Every structure is written in C-alpha cells, then in structure tokens.
Amino acid sequence: AAVLLVNVINPRILWYIDSWKYKSFQKEAPSSLYLFLCRLLSALGLMILILVIYFQPMHLADLADPTSELSITRQHIYVENGEPEIDTESYNDLSEDQTQRIIDSLQQYTYRRTPGTLFSDGSLSDLGEWMICIYIYRDNELVNTVIVSDTGDISVNDRSYSMQDSSGFIQQITDIL
C-alpha cells in the first residue's frame, strides 16, 4: 500500500530508487508516458486494495464475548384480514447455556459492508417477515445492537450491512430460545 501511494504521489521516487542497479550506467529521467501509466496503475491498485479491505467480511462474534449479557426481541410481521400485524416476543432473562449457545452461533455468521454503509443511519428498508434484535450488554451497559431481517439486511450499531443466510441465523437463534 505504501509503495502504491508513493507511486501515485511521485513515481520518480521509485524510478530513482530502482536506479541503484545501474551503477555504471546513468539512468535517464522517466518519460511523461511512464509517469502517467505508473500513476494510473498505482491508483487503480490502491483503489482495489481499499475496496477489498472495505468489503471484507466481519464476524458477528466480534460483537459479543463470553461475558456479555444478551437481550433478544423477535418480531413476526404479517398481514391478517387486510390488517398489518406485528407479534413481538422479548427474551430478557436468558440462561447461561442459552447465552453461550447464541454467542457460539454468532461465530458461524459474517456480515459485509454495502456501498451505502458509510452514509447509512442503520435503518432497514426491507424488513421482511421475521426480524430479530440482539442487544449486547457488558457490565449492564449497552455496547452493541444487532438487528437482523430475514431479507439479508442487518443493522449493527446504527449502520446498515448485508448478511448471507440471515433467515438461517434467525431460525438458529429461534431454536435456541
């Protein structure tokens, strides 16, 4: 990354660093075409590196540790007789076994940034039928909030992300509860 950045700023630096190989030969100054192509290719390489890092999967397990306390709310959103309905179940008093099994299941799932993550406010545009909210506490203080929709949208600490197999994750958490 540092070499790419130096090459974008001033490709002559690497040109002259490379000239130590030619001690008996005086190396000419780089052509303007060489400088342009070096900058272009280095900028492209730097952009690809940034995108790979930005879209790298993140683990849900990084949000909770074994000492965390969990509070979970599960919502089922549906239409009955033409009226929208929301069934909500809260699970505030989880056993240590349930908490540990949920934290273990967090290790199996990852989520990714989306192009809009940087500018998002954490709102989910497509809620789907099922949604689960996980509130993670340490020392009775809320440290992380995870909201997962069965459509693949996920909100982590007021930022929107995407998640593969979110409906499987919701089902696995529901089975534990």
Side-chain angles (χ1 to χ4, degrees):
V3 170
L4 291 173
L5 189 59
V6 166
N7 224 16
V8 168
I9 295 170
N10 189 353
R12 284 187 177 96
I13 292 173
L14 292 179
W15 176 270
Y16 291 120
I17 289 175
D18 186 47
S19 67
W20 68 269
K21 297 178 195 173
Y22 310 101
K23 291 182 180 173
S24 63
F25 176 73
Q26 184 63 28
K27 195 170 181 181
E28 294 181 24
S31 69
S32 59
L33 178 62
Y34 170 83
L35 295 175
F36 172 76
L37 289 176
C38 260
R39 279 192 172 125
L40 181 68
L41 292 175
S42 295
L44 183 64
L46 194 58
M47 183 177 292
I48 289 170
L49 181 64
I50 289 170
L51 289 175
V52 165
I53 291 170
Y54 181 78
F55 289 110
Q56 182 177 7
M58 297 173 287
H59 294 277
L60 284 173
D62 294 340
L63 302 172
D65 60 36
T67 63
S68 299
E69 297 173 28
L70 303 178
S71 176
I72 296 178
T73 302
R74 186 180 64 169
Q75 296 180 340
H76 182 214
I77 304 166
Y78 59 98
V79 176
E80 185 176 293
N81 298 326
E83 295 292 321
E85 299 286 333
I86 299 176
D87 285 339
T88 302
E89 294 180 58
S90 294
Y91 303 91
N92 296 325
D93 298 321
L94 299 173
S95 69
E96 287 183 29
D97 179 54
Q98 286 176 315
T99 301
Q100 188 57 47
R101 288 174 52 203
I102 290 170
I103 290 173
D104 290 343
S105 69
L106 291 176
Q107 294 176 1
Q108 300 171 17
Y109 292 91
T110 60
Y111 61 102
R112 294 180 185 265
R113 292 179 184 97
T114 65
T117 296
L118 196 57
F119 307 105
S120 71
D121 60 358
S123 60
L124 301 176
S125 58
D126 187 12
L127 296 180
E129 242 184 277
W130 290 94
M131 192 168 66
I132 195 161
C133 306
I134 304 172
Y135 304 99
I136 302 167
Y137 296 88
R138 285 192 196 106
D139 300 324
N140 293 325
E141 183 179 334
L142 180 65
V143 290
N144 291 308
T145 303
V146 180
I147 302 170
V148 181
S149 168
D150 66 351
T151 61
D153 292 334
I154 178 173
S155 174
V156 177
N157 297 328
D158 298 328
R159 293 279 182 229
S160 299
Y161 300 88
S162 67
M163 180 179 179
Q164 295 289 334
D165 195 23
S166 61
S167 57
F169 174 73
I170 291 172
Q171 185 60 46
Q172 187 172 3
I173 298 298
T174 301
D175 292 344
I176 293 170
L177 298 174

